[in-house]
Amino acid sequence: MVTSTGGKGPLEGAVVAVAGAAGPAGRATLLRLAEAGAVVVGSDAHPERLAEAVDAARYAHGGATVIGETVDLLDLDQAREWAARTEKEFGRIDGLVHLVGGWRGSATFGETDISDWDTLHKLLIRTVQHTSLAFHEPLQRSGNGRYVLISAAGASKPTAGNAAYAASKAAAEAWTLALADAFRKEGGEEGPRAAAAILIVKALVNDQMRAERPNAKFAGFTDVTELAEAIAGVWNRPAQEVNGKRLWLTPEP
């Protein structure tokens, strides 16, 4: 389990970009990073929802620097421009948290719609490819950079109706582990100065979901606030300890 401590710590003054910042997990992460003293730069494809998430984090933590940018992460040039613009404005980038999500599935394997793969390839793989390529060098320059991918237990144990989703998540994990290997090699004998880590959940739950389904148990689900705490905690551990690691927030299948 990844833990985090409040107040001053490794995130005080750090600059962290959050991709997919407008959803429930993104909102919780913006709040937690702002609370930890980080400068937070969120992006999302939904500008209105992003603005609401950014305003909520600013309001909760007066004085925190939280900004939002509409970035098309399916465009590598836009992703690179986002990274370059952020590093130029704030002088450094210490993290990229990848929260871009999506799900498609079917009742049985035979009913799988192959178009689901096309959708999930864009959402879950292409955005990882583009953000990792765009932020790789800035994170390496940071001295304590972290690339954090959120993945699902299903990637390690696919079920019949989740072929496209599980395969997409597995591919995203493999790509992130390749980034981790780059950090390892670039660190040389002293070890990596940056880390790429994967946080794995069964699924996520938030207050709105509980309100909509009051009788549901959501067994094994990770609350978005717990996920945000775990994300912040990745900076509390040495790069060598978390680089290339799958950090489970749910029992391994």
Side-chain angles (χ1 to χ4, degrees), residues 43-59:
S43 80
D44 204 278
H46 302 278
E48 292 182 0
R49 289 171 52 201
L50 177 61
E52 291 173 359
V54 167
D55 287 346
R58 285 177 180 163
Y59 180 78

Side-chain angles (χ1 to χ4, degrees), residues 121-140:
H121 177 267
K122 291 177 181 178
L123 288 172
L124 305 183
I125 303 174
R126 188 66 77 198
T127 58
V128 169
Q129 293 172 325
H130 288 173
T131 53
S132 60
L133 289 169
F135 284 84
H136 165 215
E137 292 184 3
L139 292 176
Q140 177 73 344

Side-chain angles (χ1 to χ4, degrees), residues 62-145:
T65 300
V66 185
I67 64 175
E69 295 192 33
T70 304
V71 181
D72 181 3
L73 294 178
L74 296 179
D75 184 325
L76 179 56
D77 288 338
Q78 283 199 37
R80 290 191 190 279
E81 288 166 7
W82 180 38
R85 189 166 57 247
T86 301
E87 188 175 29
K88 181 178 180 181
E89 181 172 355
F90 297 106
R92 59 189 299 119
I93 299 175
D94 303 291
L96 185 288
V97 180
H98 188 278
L99 292 169
V100 180
W103 180 83
R104 298 287 189 281
S106 56
T108 67
F109 181 80
E111 293 175 295
T112 297
D113 184 343
I114 202 66
S115 67
D116 288 347
W117 167 260
D118 298 330
T119 298
L120 294 173
H121 177 267
K122 291 177 181 178
L123 288 172
L124 305 183
I125 303 174
R126 188 66 77 198
T127 58
V128 169
Q129 293 172 325
H130 288 173
T131 53
S132 60
L133 289 169
F135 284 84
H136 165 215
E137 292 184 3
L139 292 176
Q140 177 73 344
R141 287 192 286 270
S142 157
N144 194 36

Side-chain angles (χ1 to χ4, degrees), residues 28-48:
T29 299
L30 294 184
L31 285 165
R32 183 64 188 90
L33 294 174
E35 178 189 27
V39 172
V40 192
V41 185
S43 80
D44 204 278
H46 302 278
E48 292 182 0

